[in-house]
Amino acid sequence: MVLNWITSTPRRTLALIAAACVALLAFGMYLQHVQGLEPCPMCIVQRYALVLVALSTGLASLGRRSAWWKTWSLLATVAAGLGAFVAARQSWLQWNPPEFASCGRDLYGMIENYPISRAIPMIFRGSGDCTAVDWTFLGGTIANWSFLWFVGFALVLLALLCKGAQRR
């Protein structure tokens, strides 16, 4: 029944995903600017992935043609997968912190001072900031909740894409 509600009107579902992404981004801004939590490099990558999911699903919800929303939904699914990967890696770092935690550089400092081929592995290696647990809700960290949201978005998007392929 839930699957039928999700897949019966893809444009509505895509618009709801975009709205949820915007709400999550707003919550992240609240945590940063009101609560004073500074995002680590992995958090910033997750934000960019969330922005990509929001933009892709928002654009997908605007198109009436099947090919339009399927293309944008596929891009959103890839972005959600990337976000889930980064969130899972950060969760793993939080559960298994490195022996020597160092704060390291911020994301922009890494990109400005190192070639992209060297900066990207540094981002995923994590730093002392990425292993810190500054906020929890129901026992989950920001990275844990981010992972759950990204996986949820990816599953709904995959359901839409699979159901859309069956309708052909």
Side-chain angles (χ1 to χ4, degrees):
M1 181 158 154
V2 173
L3 187 60
N4 286 338
W5 185 84
I6 289 171
T7 58
S8 64
T9 53
R11 291 177 60 212
R12 176 189 60 202
T13 303
L14 292 165
L16 286 173
I17 291 173
C21 289
V22 170
L24 289 170
L25 287 165
F27 183 66
M29 293 294 121
Y30 166 79
L31 288 176
Q32 181 178 354
H33 296 291
V34 176
Q35 296 296 320
L37 299 179
E38 285 300 316
C40 69
M42 294 178 110
C43 296
I44 292 170
V45 171
Q46 290 170 60
R47 274 191 194 171
Y48 285 135
L50 200 56
V51 167
L52 273 175
V53 173
L55 287 173
S56 299
T57 55
L59 287 170
S61 70
L62 296 176
R64 294 199 182 278
R65 291 182 171 238
S66 174
W68 174 266
W69 70 260
K70 286 178 186 175
T71 302
W72 286 108
S73 295
L74 184 60
L75 179 62
T77 305
V78 170
L82 171 69
F85 172 78
V86 175
R89 176 70 177 143
Q90 184 177 5
S91 294
W92 187 85
L93 283 170
Q94 289 173 342
W95 292 327
N96 304 298
E99 193 172 316
F100 299 102
S102 65
C103 289
R105 297 178 179 265
D106 65 345
L107 178 67
Y108 303 108
M110 287 183 209
I111 292 172
E112 287 176 357
N113 294 315
Y114 296 102
I116 196 77
S117 62
R118 195 160 161 224
I120 298 231
M122 290 171 70
I123 292 167
F124 289 108
R125 205 171 302 129
S127 65
D129 292 333
C130 293
T131 62
V133 177
D134 298 326
W135 181 90
T136 60
F137 178 70
L138 298 175
T141 66
I142 295 172
N144 302 147
W145 284 105
S146 180
F147 174 77
L148 290 175
W149 278 104
F150 279 122
V151 167
F153 292 149
L155 289 174
V156 169
L157 289 164
L158 284 172
L160 282 175
L161 289 168
C162 288
K163 192 73 167 185
Q166 287 177 354
R167 287 184 185 149
R168 261 189 171 182

